[in-house]
Amino acid sequence: AQTVTQSQPEMSVQEAETVTLSCTYDTSESDYYLFWYKQPPSRQMILVIRQEAYKQQNATENRFSVNFQKAAKSFSLKISDSQLGDAAMYFCAYRTYTGTASKLTFGTGTRLQVTL
Amino acid sequence: NAGVTQTPKFQVLKTGQSMTLQCAQDMNHEYMSWYRQDPGMGLRLIHYSVGAGITDQGEVPNGYNVSRSTTEDFPLRLLSAAPSQTSVYFCASSERGPTDTQYFGPGTRLTVL
């Protein structure tokens, strides 16, 4: 079974600085998807970024980028120029590539605080 | 376009009571799913549906029932509530499957006494 591990329960970053959130996963599959979701205090889950395992290029979305290390099974999220609105829980998630009869497996989350 | 809506937002039940959590989406999405979120556990999949009339179990289905009679609605039924079902419940939908962008509802906070 696939597992997703986020080893940092809490992180803190100053406004305008850069922070990296860690995620590792365990799988025997070669094709899969990885995601980062943001959950602000409103509780709504918001997709931040996604990465297909077959793509070597790291995904980027504005200030958000990932460092995908397939051999190491590592998928970290870098937030540049942090803003107060980035404060939230961040969840890493894994999904197998083929078929619809599959699911997202989530990590336990990292709470990010952004300070002035 | 309301996206994914869930009702109620909060609910308190007594052990043994039954209830239905409602979920609806107006985006004509085929794939819908229910998750529960517990402290320190992340989100865990309860049930999912790949289209009207088709449902399947996730990783924690016991004590829950679902049906998908229309594309828009995917209710989650608690058959006989237990304190272990105290959690926050999220409904999500995506166009075809979980690799598509998933849109989450605002969640339902359920307490079972």
Side-chain angles (χ1 to χ4, degrees):
Chain A
Q2 295 84 18
T3 59
V4 178
T5 302
Q6 293 179 250
S7 59
Q8 306 154 316
E10 289 192 15
M11 293 283 286
S12 183
V13 63
Q14 282 192 323
E15 199 176 16
E17 296 297 309
T18 296
V19 65
T20 298
L21 308 184
S22 301
C23 173
T24 58
Y25 56 95
D26 186 26
T27 184
S28 59
E29 297 171 326
S30 58
D31 289 323
Y32 47 86
Y33 288 82
L34 295 164
F35 304 84
W36 278 99
Y37 279 89
K38 170 185 178 182
Q39 186 179 39
S42 66
R43 288 206 315 247
Q44 194 99 20
M45 295 284 284
I46 303 164
L47 178 67
V48 175
I49 201 165
R50 58 181 272 167
Q51 173 83 42
E52 290 88 345
Y54 66 87
K55 291 186 177 178
Q56 294 189 341
Q57 187 173 7
N58 290 325
T60 62
E61 285 289 341
N62 300 316
R63 298 182 294 106
F64 298 87
S65 62
V66 298
N67 184 3
F68 174 48
Q69 302 288 330
K70 191 173 183 180
K73 298 178 182 175
S74 171
F75 182 60
S76 60
L77 174 70
K78 185 172 80 171
I79 306 174
S80 305
D81 186 25
S82 296
Q83 301 174 358
L84 293 177
D86 295 333
M89 283 289 287
Y90 286 82
F91 292 94
C92 179
Y94 169 102
R95 192 263 182 184
T96 51
Y97 179 72
T98 56
T100 57
S102 58
K103 65 180 177 69
L104 283 173
T105 301
F106 285 84
T108 53
T110 296
R111 183 174 301 282
L112 178 66
Q113 293 182 326
V114 181
T115 59
L116 293 171
Chain B
N1 190 327
V4 180
T5 58
Q6 289 182 240
T7 55
K9 291 187 177 180
F10 301 94
Q11 183 70 50
V12 179
L13 292 177
K14 294 181 180 178
T15 297
Q17 287 185 314
S18 62
M19 78 158 295
T20 299
L21 306 185
Q22 301 292 343
C23 174
Q25 51 90 10
D26 60 359
M27 298 173 281
N28 202 32
H29 285 173
E30 291 295 326
Y31 188 93
M32 296 186 73
S33 52
W34 277 101
Y35 292 87
R36 60 178 288 173
Q37 183 178 33
D38 302 295
M41 300 285 288
L43 279 82
R44 294 181 292 169
L45 182 67
I46 305 171
H47 286 284
Y48 66 96
S49 169
V50 299
I54 307 169
T55 64
D56 206 346
Q57 296 180 349
E59 58 183 307
V60 288
N62 292 340
Y64 307 95
N65 209 352
V66 293
S67 59
R68 185 93 180 271
S69 56
T70 67
T71 298
E72 295 78 18
D73 300 298
F74 190 46
L76 177 73
R77 296 183 187 84
L78 279 70
L79 308 173
S80 177
S84 61
Q85 293 178 304
T86 294
S87 187
V88 180
Y89 292 84
F90 288 96
C91 179
S93 76
S94 60
E95 189 171 357
R96 290 178 302 276
T99 58
D100 297 324
T101 297
Q102 288 221 61
Y103 296 86
F104 282 80
T108 295
R109 183 177 294 278
L110 176 68
T111 302
V112 183
L113 303 175

